[in-house]
Amino acid sequence: MFSIYLIILYVVLVVWKPSRRVAVALLPWLLFACSYDWMRLMPNYKVNPIDVKGIYEAERSLFGIAVGSETMIPGAYLQMHHHSFADILAGLFYLCWVPVPLAFALYLYLKGDRHNSLRFSYCFLFVNLLGFCGYYIHPAAPPWYALNYGFEPILNTPGNTAGLKYFDMLTGIPVFQSLYGKNANVFAAVPSLHAAYMLIATVYSVLSRQKRWITAIFAFICIGIWWTAVYTTHHYIIDVLLGIVTAVVGIFLFELLTKKCWK
């Protein structure tokens, strides 16, 4: 499993004295990566039934776009009208989902703001764990699954680049093909944690009093990821909204439960 290699790497960082400071900052991120990888051991569809049609019909009912006599989900409509510039932009936005928050945490830690670095990192971990609970409470297929396979759940379905395939094609680099080939579970679309990650970074950029241009860039990337999630049919608008709710609730609960730790 991928997590074994991460643990070995982390042990090396701890043992090697010059990298111990970085190892402390990376501990929440190691726990996040391992917990995601370990979901392979007990897939969420073994706990609760998979929702394929219900969420598709809810999206179509709430946000559907009329095309002739048919009502299409927004993602499918956008993919019918995809454009090369938008495809490149979508890929760039989606590549930021973990690297930018991780870079932000390391930036804070290495510049001496250990307090806010760990505060942000452990909140990031906490929101992820809440989201993982959501995966098990309501296993759900992403839009591309319903569009490609219909409404019957097929277990062990491989990951799919969906609309991000155009980024790979245009750049000639199979970056998303490599990433989604390692997807732990395609039936884990609700809530969209892609929608949560940069929102957490944006909030903690404000709470740690970063320069306004940093917060503005984070907010721009955050909105871009929300758009990309729907544009590429990786998530429904419903997933994105629930991801935002998960982030907001997670930040509130984390700050409430740990406020004495950060004084």
Side-chain angles (χ1 to χ4, degrees):
M1 293 176 69
F2 179 65
S3 56
I4 295 175
Y5 299 107
L6 289 178
I7 292 170
I8 292 172
L9 176 61
Y10 188 79
V11 170
V12 172
L13 292 175
V14 172
V15 172
W16 192 40
K17 190 174 180 179
S19 61
R20 285 179 185 170
R21 286 182 61 205
V22 175
V24 172
L26 289 177
L27 179 58
W29 301 86
L30 173 70
L31 296 174
F32 149 63
C34 289
S35 59
Y36 177 79
D37 194 43
W38 289 338
M39 286 195 292
R40 299 174 192 272
L41 300 176
M42 176 56 74
N44 59 348
Y45 52 75
K46 290 187 177 181
V47 178
N48 279 309
I50 300 167
D51 178 8
V52 182
K53 187 174 182 179
I55 193 166
Y56 178 91
E57 293 296 347
E59 179 84 354
R60 191 164 65 165
S61 174
L62 292 171
F63 306 108
I65 298 171
V67 180
S69 60
E70 183 183 0
T71 301
M72 303 180 67
I73 61 169
Y77 178 83
L78 291 171
Q79 280 300 288
M80 282 182 60
H81 301 86
H82 78 93
H83 187 276
S84 296
F85 176 75
D87 295 333
I88 292 292
L89 198 60
L92 294 175
F93 278 131
Y94 240 45
L95 286 174
C96 293
W97 72 300
V98 169
V100 172
L102 176 57
F104 179 52
L106 288 173
Y107 163 75
L108 290 174
Y109 199 89
L110 294 176
K111 83 165 191 173
D113 194 353
R114 181 175 180 272
H115 169 93
N116 280 312
S117 174
L118 294 178
R119 181 185 179 192
F120 163 62
S121 295
Y122 277 103
C123 182
F124 187 92
L125 173 62
F126 180 73
V127 171
N128 269 283
L129 295 178
L130 285 181
F132 294 166
C133 289
Y135 291 168
Y136 283 91
I137 292 170
H138 190 82
W144 63 257
Y145 180 92
L147 294 171
N148 289 339
Y149 297 100
F151 298 130
E152 288 299 319
I154 304 170
L155 304 185
N156 301 314
T157 301
N160 194 302
T161 56
L164 291 170
K165 67 183 178 184
Y166 298 114
F167 180 87
D168 285 1
M169 291 167 59
L170 290 166
T171 61
I173 305 171
V175 56
F176 288 107
Q177 181 61 46
S178 299
L179 289 172
Y180 283 97
K182 297 180 176 64
N183 195 353
N185 182 3
V186 303
F187 301 114
V190 178
S192 168
L193 291 179
H194 279 86
Y197 291 165
M198 280 306 303
L199 179 56
I200 305 167
T202 303
V203 169
Y204 277 92
S205 179
V206 174
L207 293 178
S208 60
R209 299 181 180 178
Q210 300 303 304
K211 294 179 180 178
R212 290 182 180 179
W213 66 267
I214 295 178
T215 303
I217 290 174
F218 283 4
F220 175 70
I221 295 173
C222 182
I223 295 170
I225 290 176
W226 295 349
W227 165 76
T228 299
V230 177
Y231 173 74
T232 60
T233 67
H234 273 276
H235 286 284
Y236 296 106
I237 293 175
I238 293 171
D239 305 347
V240 171
L241 293 175
L242 290 174
I244 294 169
V245 170
T246 300
V248 172
V249 171
I251 293 169
F252 175 78
L253 288 176
F254 179 81
E255 289 294 323
L256 181 66
L257 296 172
T258 66
K259 60 182 179 181
K260 293 183 180 178
C261 300
W262 310 114
K263 291 182 178 180

